[in-house]
Amino acid sequence: MTVRTRFAPSPTGYLHIGGVWAALFAWLYARRHGGQFLLRIEDTDTKRTIPGALESLMTSLRWFGIEWDEVARCRRALWPIHPNPTQRVVPKMGQLAH
């Protein structure tokens, strides 16, 4: 089995120390086990996306010495639309309480 880890930031802001820690941990784990590190861009919040944030994030990761093996994009436009996703989850949570 091949190890594949990922870091999935959203381009709604710039990289912060928590993001660096998460990316570094995933990258080190993949490298230690001979696996792959995937940079998965979560561009699902288009209203809050900041121009240049993705480029800044990638530059920052490289500054820390974190290189990825693959880039993937998770696009909101490709997701099936449900009018209210909580309708699927909340009733099930209520059933667990009884």
Side-chain angles (χ1 to χ4, degrees):
M1 181 172 85
T2 302
V3 170
R4 285 179 53 108
T5 61
R6 59 124 175 96
F7 176 57
S10 177
T12 57
Y14 298 99
L15 189 62
H16 55 81
I17 193 66
V20 172
W21 183 90
L24 183 60
F25 183 85
W27 180 79
L28 287 170
Y29 189 86
R31 293 299 181 255
R32 171 71 172 96
H33 296 284
Q36 296 178 325
F37 174 68
L38 174 70
L39 180 61
R40 179 177 152 179
I41 307 303
E42 299 280 346
D43 59 351
T44 57
D45 190 353
T46 56
K47 290 180 183 174
R48 296 187 325 144
T49 297
I50 296 173
L54 178 57
E55 293 78 12
S56 174
L57 180 126
M58 294 170 97
T59 300
S60 298
L61 289 175
R62 285 189 177 116
W63 187 87
F64 282 100
I66 300 171
E67 289 286 340
W68 45 91
D69 300 301
E70 184 180 333
V71 175
R73 292 186 83 98
C74 180
R75 297 183 181 269
R76 175 78 170 135
L78 301 177
W79 291 9
I81 303 299
H82 190 280
N84 187 353
T86 57
Q87 291 175 347
R88 293 183 285 178
V89 177
V90 174
K92 292 179 183 179
M93 291 175 65
Q95 292 170 1
L96 295 175
H98 296 345

